[in-house]
Amino acid sequence: MDSGAQSPRPAGETGTPARPATDTGTPDRPTGDGDTPSRPAMGGSAPDRPATDTGTPDIGRRIRGLREERGISLSALARAAGVGKATLSGLENGTRNPTLDTLWAITAELGVPLAMAVGTPPPVDAGGSGRTGGIPVVHGTAVEGTLLQVFEDEGVTYELYRLVIRAGTTQVSPAHHEGVTEHVTVFAGTLDAGPAGAPLRAGPGEHISWRSDVPHSYAVPGDLDVHASLLIRYPRRRARRPSWTRSHS
């Protein structure tokens, strides 16, 4: 997916303060325990829903490629993102379905938009027959987002999503990389969203935005599902220098 009476509103956040979301139940950083094997469970309760409707092997290959391009070891990325090494290894090998929070945490550490991991929407057929392939859909605890468009500006990447957030649900997402902002326009229902502990409220026809380089939440306090659009703005992140240097004689 601000300003309280006792603290100033951070730059980049607009909208009406809302009551803080309660009973979030989700840690700010995933631990990997929520990730599930890609093989369906045999009997018993259904496994957690995969983060995306796109292929897990493709996501794993993209994440491995991004990691290797940056010269980051699997262990170092898992540690920095707060996910288990086995979880990340299974994701890269296509044997585990990641939760959305896991993907957010990994892509934040890599400094890339989520679309770099899940893929971009196919182009619209100029002949008017619509999209030429599947559209990425991502699933969180409460949020279902359909990725409609990815576009670039100088030094900035934008992702445009169509959101559905179920009534009575709450989701806490980990921080994106520095400078990322989210911009939500609500079409139906009432949404509390923004920095965790200080969300903003928006109803039909209203818009809110906030800096999402901190843990942030989405909650629907009413009994109607929220339908909204979400624009995520990612400033291009400069490549990190290695934490070690080699001395020269």
Side-chain angles (χ1 to χ4, degrees):
M1 84 151 208
D2 244 39
S3 63
Q6 297 179 352
S7 61
R9 176 183 298 169
E13 296 166 16
T14 62
T16 304
R19 295 179 183 176
T22 58
D23 299 329
T24 58
T26 305
D28 295 341
R29 282 279 181 173
T31 61
D33 295 338
D35 299 322
T36 57
S38 57
R39 182 176 299 172
M42 299 300 290
S45 60
D48 293 340
R49 191 176 192 181
T52 75
D53 289 345
T54 56
T56 299
D58 290 337
I59 294 173
R61 283 194 292 270
R62 293 185 190 106
I63 289 175
R64 174 181 289 173
L66 290 166
R67 175 178 62 78
E68 292 177 347
E69 284 175 7
R70 287 155 178 75
I72 305 172
S73 71
L74 188 146
S75 296
L77 178 58
R79 183 169 57 251
V83 304
K85 182 178 177 181
T87 294
L88 180 56
S89 177
L91 170 57
E92 289 193 357
N93 291 327
T95 60
R96 296 185 72 87
N97 286 324
T99 65
L100 182 57
D101 278 355
T102 296
L103 290 181
W104 281 132
I106 291 170
T107 53
E109 285 302 320
L110 292 171
V112 298
L114 184 65
M116 293 287 285
V118 303
T120 57
V124 177
D125 182 12
S129 60
R131 301 279 184 181
T132 57
I135 301 175
V137 179
V138 294
H139 306 281
T141 307
V143 175
E144 178 181 287
T146 302
L147 181 56
L148 301 176
Q149 186 75 34
V150 178
F151 49 99
E152 305 281 342
D153 200 351
E154 186 176 354
V156 180
T157 299
Y158 296 89
E159 293 176 346
L160 178 63
Y161 292 87
R162 180 174 64 243
L163 297 185
V164 178
I165 310 172
R166 300 304 175 191
T169 59
T170 298
Q171 175 177 321
V172 177
S173 295
H176 301 304
H177 65 260
E178 185 177 1
V180 176
T181 57
E182 297 191 20
H183 309 260
V184 174
T185 301
V186 174
F187 303 113
T190 299
L191 175 66
D192 292 345
L200 304 164
R201 175 162 291 182
E206 295 181 330
H207 170 265
I208 53 177
S209 62
W210 65 90
R211 285 187 64 138
S212 52
D213 51 7
V214 296
H216 47 289
S217 62
Y218 310 84
V220 180
D223 56 3
L224 296 176
D225 292 349
V226 165
H227 293 261
S229 67
L230 167 65
L231 182 71
I232 306 182
R233 179 184 184 275
Y234 298 89
R236 196 129 328 128
R237 188 176 182 180
R238 294 181 179 177
R240 292 182 176 179
R241 293 182 178 180
S243 57
W244 52 270
T245 57
R246 180 176 298 172
S247 60
H248 297 275
S249 55

